[in-house]
Amino acid sequence: MQSNAYGASLAGGAFDFESFVKKPQTILRFLSWVFSIVVFASITAEGYINPVTEGETKCMFNSNDSACSYAVGIGILAFLGCVIFLLLDAYFPNISNAKERKYIVVGDLSFSGAWTFLWFICFCVLTNQWTKTDTEFVKADAARAVIAFSFFSIVTWALLSYFALGRYRQGVSEFNQDYTDPAQDHSSPYPPAPSNYQQAPFTNNQGPQGEYQPPAY
């Protein structure tokens, strides 16, 4: 095990809460967690209206229920993802297996990249539907808050992707630096195996020893 792998030191150290909460990843995850709550809570509480001319409630974004459902869905999943990765970040220094650390970092990179893209789609869809909405029966403040925090989520998740990519590259670089080819390691107590076989076993390379003489009885 290296002294440092994927942006964290060796396992066994005590958990430092103060340094943990000051990490950029922790701050960004907390902000992403808050932004996701604002988005899905605003839509759930105030995102559906009941126009006078219709008997059913409709999404405040141009009566497009798919837009509201999409924003609520990715908001809830982002909320859960932030909680899970916050716990993994806290437990990360205690993981002694480099492969397990790699899986966590790759999962963080994949999830953060995917949610950056999904929040971008959410922002574009909600903005487009809001420009077509009749604001007479809509709470405009709630709609603008949802759009604004969808945009803020793009920024935080993009930064999380950047930090996850940095941790992944750091882990790969440290592995390449620490790995030594046994054939080139002259400090090893055992010599390297020969590259090719020089002579087959049980091979008699000597010439004939003379004529055959039968045994005497």
Side-chain angles (χ1 to χ4, degrees), residues 2 6 8 13 18 61 65 67 71 76 90 123 130 148 154 166 173 188 192-193 201 208 210:
Q2 300 94 343
Y6 293 98
E18 183 178 357
F61 292 97
D65 292 339
I76 292 176
F123 171 75
W130 179 245
I154 299 173
S173 176
S188 175

Side-chain angles (χ1 to χ4, degrees), residues 82-98:
C82 288
V83 173
I84 292 173
F85 281 106
L86 273 173
L87 296 175
L88 289 175
D89 286 343
Y91 186 68
F92 193 81
N94 296 322
I95 300 176
S96 59
N97 191 321

Side-chain angles (χ1 to χ4, degrees), residues 2 8 16 34 49 58 68 86 122 125 173 186 190 197:
Q2 300 94 343
D16 189 351
V34 173
I49 58 176
K58 294 292 183 179
C68 286
L86 273 173
C122 180
V125 170
S173 176
H186 301 289
Y190 302 101
Y197 191 77

Side-chain angles (χ1 to χ4, degrees), residues 97-145:
N97 191 321
K99 287 186 177 180
E100 293 180 0
R101 288 188 174 192
K102 179 181 178 180
Y103 294 150
I104 293 175
V105 173
V106 171
D108 182 16
L109 177 60
S110 301
F111 189 87
S112 299
W115 251 250
T116 302
F117 178 70
L118 293 175
W119 277 120
F120 175 75
I121 294 177
C122 180
F123 171 75
C124 294
V125 170
L126 295 182
T127 302
N128 176 265
Q129 294 299 313
W130 179 245
T131 59
K132 303 176 182 178
T133 301
D134 183 4
T135 59
E136 182 179 359
F137 303 102
V138 177
K139 294 182 178 180
D141 292 339
R144 294 190 183 101

Side-chain angles (χ1 to χ4, degrees), residues 155-175:
V155 178
T156 55
W157 283 101
L159 290 174
L160 285 171
S161 302
Y162 171 78
F163 283 112
L165 179 61
R167 285 205 299 177
Y168 177 77
R169 287 179 174 177
Q170 182 179 1
V172 173
S173 176
E174 288 166 354
F175 176 80

